[in-house]
């Protein structure tokens, strides 16, 4: 097989995924369900952040929420979400390093027609492959924790380029990580992605969580206004 045919096959896979993602996104929008894709490396604090974010949202809205927990193996995170009283579905990718639309549709169907105002996808812990696959969500965010170092923006630029918001997590570690250059991170990230929202948070202390919750509510209201629905 020559190189050009390999590239055509790859493009066909991405195109099909993108088309399915667009249909899925529109269908959820019509139902009033706002979907957020949460990406980041393993241990960046995705599950902990999500629990703190849902608590901050609950202080502002009583709309139903749900979580799709993607993992290579194990239901550890899905059980943590269930323990917090939030409906969750485990999406076990059986070793695949990203989530694509076929998986997303099956996971969503597993909720059995339940209605949500906010539905979260905790994507596979990986700063590379998930950037390429549209998961049919309305916004995508990436988490970068302080202990990982600010320079990941130089090493994994595609991820920083595709997201709507960069969420710096574990900022309670800032006093211990003196070499974490927040200004350099913001500067490099905005060169890659000029419209990027940036939040600095700690799920441990609660810092920044209200700002993220307010931003999500604003994003959902924007989505609803496109359908002519009122919140
Ligand atoms: N100090 C601190 N630790 C955190 C914070 N958020 C998460 N962690 C810890 O980081 C580790 C990984 O968190 P987890 O949410 O499982 O990360 P995930 O793999 O990205 O889902 C756990 O030990 C958490 O308790 C935070 O804001 N501050
Ligand atoms: Mg997790």
């Amino acid at each position: 097989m020559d190189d050009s045919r390999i590239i055509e096959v790859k493009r066909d896979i991405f195109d099909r995924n993108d088309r399915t993602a667009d249909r899925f996104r529109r269908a959820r929008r019509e139902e009033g369900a706002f979907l957020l894709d949460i990406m980041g490396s393993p241990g960046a604090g995705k599950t902990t952040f999500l629990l703190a974010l849902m608590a901050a949202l609950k202080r502002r809205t009583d709309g139903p929420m749900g979580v799709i927990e993607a993992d290579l193996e194990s239901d550890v995170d899905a059980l943590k979400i269930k323990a917090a009283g939030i409906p969750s579905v485990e999406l076990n990718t059986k070793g695949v390093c990203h989530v694509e639309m076929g998986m997303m549709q099956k996971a969503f169907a597993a909720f059995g027609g339940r209605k949500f105002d906010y539905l979260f996808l905790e994507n596979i812990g990986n700063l590379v492959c998930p950037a390429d696959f549209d998961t049919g969500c309305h916004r995508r965010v990436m988490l970068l924790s302080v202990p990982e170092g600010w320079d990941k923006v130089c090493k994994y630029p595609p991820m920083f380029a595709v997201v709507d918001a960069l969420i710096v997590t574990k900022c309670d570690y800032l006093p211990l990580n003196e070499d974490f250059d927040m200004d350099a991170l913001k500067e490099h990230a905005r060169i890659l992605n000029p419209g990027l929202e940036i939040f600095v948070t700690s799920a441990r202390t609660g810092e920044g969580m209200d700002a993220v919750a307010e931003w999500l509510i604003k994003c959902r209201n924007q989505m609803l206004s496109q359908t002519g629905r009122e919140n």
Side-chain angles (χ1 to χ4, degrees), residues 40-49 77 80 122 143 169-173 201-205:
S41 51
K46 296 180 295 301
T47 310
T48 314
F49 165 82
D77 286 350
K80 279 186 197 162
E122 180 178 339
L143 272 48
T169 55
K170 309 191 193 182
C171 75
D172 51 297
Y173 278 127
T201 69
S202 166
R204 185 71 38 94
T205 66

Side-chain angles (χ1 to χ4, degrees), residues 34-36 38 45-69 77-89 111 116-122 143 167 201-203 206 208-214 216-217:
F34 177 84
L35 272 62
L36 183 72
I38 300 174
K46 296 180 295 301
T47 310
T48 314
F49 165 82
L50 186 47
L51 287 166
L53 176 62
M54 290 189 294
L57 275 173
K58 273 188 178 174
R59 292 194 289 273
R60 291 166 169 77
T61 164
D62 56 6
M65 300 177 208
V67 177
I68 296 174
E69 269 296 340
D77 286 350
L79 293 176
K80 279 186 197 162
I81 302 291
K82 279 203 180 103
I86 308 278
S88 80
V89 161
F111 283 115
F116 297 107
D117 280 3
Y118 295 91
L119 185 58
F120 300 96
L121 165 66
E122 180 178 339
L143 272 48
I167 298 172
T201 69
S202 166
M209 298 309 308
D210 288 334
V212 183
E214 296 288 348
L216 274 192
I217 290 170

Side-chain angles (χ1 to χ4, degrees), residues 82-158:
K82 279 203 180 103
I86 308 278
S88 80
V89 161
E90 178 201 343
L91 194 174
N92 189 325
T93 65
K94 307 259 184 232
V96 176
C97 61
H98 62 268
V99 171
E100 51 192 67
M101 282 315 299
M103 304 173 189
M104 194 63 185
Q105 286 172 308
K106 273 191 200 145
F108 182 72
F111 283 115
R114 229 175 161 133
K115 298 289 178 223
F116 297 107
D117 280 3
Y118 295 91
L119 185 58
F120 300 96
L121 165 66
E122 180 178 339
N123 212 314
I124 298 294
N126 180 345
L127 280 181
V128 185
C129 314
D132 285 337
F133 287 88
D134 191 338
T135 54
C137 291
H138 299 97
R139 294 286 189 282
R140 310 175 84 184
V141 299
M142 70 160 292
L143 272 48
L144 176 73
S145 65
V146 167
E148 289 170 82
W150 76 270
D151 60 358
K152 298 303 164 289
V153 66
C154 307
K155 298 182 178 178
Y156 303 95

Side-chain angles (χ1 to χ4, degrees), residues 206-223:
E207 184 174 338
M209 298 309 308
D210 288 334
V212 183
E214 296 288 348
W215 176 70
L216 274 192
I217 290 170
K218 194 177 83 186
C219 291
R220 179 169 183 267
N221 285 339
Q222 280 169 354
M223 178 193 82

